[in-house]
Amino acid sequence: MSRTLRVPIFPLGGALLFPRQQLPLHIFESRYREMVRDAIDGAGRIGMIQPLRDDDDNQAPLYGVGCIGDIVGVEELDDGRFNIVLLGTDRFRVISEAESDAGYRCAEVDVAAFDDRDPPPLSLGSRAEVEREARRLGDALGLAVDWAGVNRLDDEMLVNAIAQVAPFDIGAKQALLEEATLAARADLLVQLMQFHRVAVSGGVEIEPTLQ
């Protein structure tokens, strides 16, 4: 069963949003300032989605899956730029792009395409593996991380936060977003962290691997 919404969409490579996860954004392009103003005056939501390529013409083809974000924080700066915070609600599949007179793109999306209710917890082994590989990758990248704080995160927050901030290519991030369950996302995340760590440690230039 589908549930269709028309939403403004913000194509931004490398920016993942998951249900119950927050994403801070600095909005400076004129078309996206318009989008934020219209969203604030309307339903208060934006569809985050990754483009298949980086373009400046606002016409890049899009991946088929993104996530709705409710605007839960907004600061308008004196020059018209915005700092906003999105809270993820539902992942969606794009049905079609919608005609719009605005400078930004809109789409008809199915927000019932995924079961995004609170997931069951990970197994103890899976949780431990995620934490272990995150620490190893952080060490390989030379990052200063509050591991005590990381350990206090619940399973969903832990996996999705790493997926958001890890330096994976766009295709890998998209694969994480599209995993149907938290357990499957955790397994893929571990594989990606292992690959990235080995490549970084060996001085290998990392090429996109998942498309």
Side-chain angles (χ1 to χ4, degrees):
M1 185 175 181
S2 64
R3 183 163 69 91
T4 303
L5 292 178
R6 177 188 170 109
V7 293
I9 52 174
F10 189 0
L12 187 58
L16 288 192
L17 180 62
F18 292 94
R20 292 170 292 280
Q21 198 84 6
Q22 291 192 349
L23 178 66
L25 294 169
H26 178 64
I27 309 297
F28 57 91
E29 289 187 56
S30 59
R31 60 177 171 254
Y32 297 125
R33 296 185 199 180
E34 178 188 8
M35 178 187 68
V36 169
R37 291 190 192 98
D38 288 349
I40 292 170
D41 292 339
R45 58 186 175 227
I46 292 170
M48 293 301 301
I49 195 164
Q50 293 198 118
L52 282 161
R53 64 169 188 264
D54 288 327
D55 279 350
D56 336 359
D57 61 2
N58 202 30
Q59 297 298 319
L62 306 172
Y63 279 99
V65 173
C67 185
I68 300 291
D70 285 345
I71 300 175
V72 295
V74 59
E75 175 191 18
E76 184 170 7
L77 305 178
D78 292 340
D79 60 2
R81 292 174 296 140
F82 288 93
N83 292 319
I84 65 172
V85 178
L86 298 180
L87 176 64
T89 58
D90 302 279
R91 285 178 294 169
F92 62 77
R93 290 194 185 277
V94 175
I95 299 170
S96 63
E97 285 209 48
E99 292 186 7
S100 172
D101 295 329
Y104 52 86
R105 298 162 75 174
C106 295
E108 300 287 339
V109 303
D110 178 11
V111 294
F114 296 89
D115 180 359
D116 281 330
R117 294 172 293 181
D118 288 334
L122 299 175
S123 69
L124 293 179
S126 180
R127 167 77 188 216
E129 196 170 23
V130 170
E131 290 187 6
R132 180 171 58 250
E133 288 304 324
R135 188 182 292 268
R136 288 174 174 173
L137 178 58
D139 290 346
L141 294 172
L143 301 179
V145 179
D146 176 12
W147 293 112
V150 169
N151 293 342
R152 289 193 295 270
L153 297 176
D154 66 38
D155 293 345
E156 183 183 38
M157 184 69 72
L158 174 69
V159 170
N160 291 348
I162 296 172
Q164 278 188 330
V165 303
F168 303 143
D169 63 77
I170 289 176
K173 283 182 173 282
Q174 187 67 27
L176 289 164
L177 179 67
E178 294 187 18
E179 282 290 359
T181 66
L182 180 64
R185 187 176 308 128
D187 288 345
L188 177 58
L189 180 62
V190 166
Q191 295 173 43
L192 290 169
M193 289 191 292
Q194 290 171 340
F195 170 79
H196 202 91
R197 172 174 55 83
V198 170
V200 169
S201 300
V204 176
E205 183 176 349
I206 300 173
E207 297 291 338
T209 55
L210 296 172
Q211 298 294 335

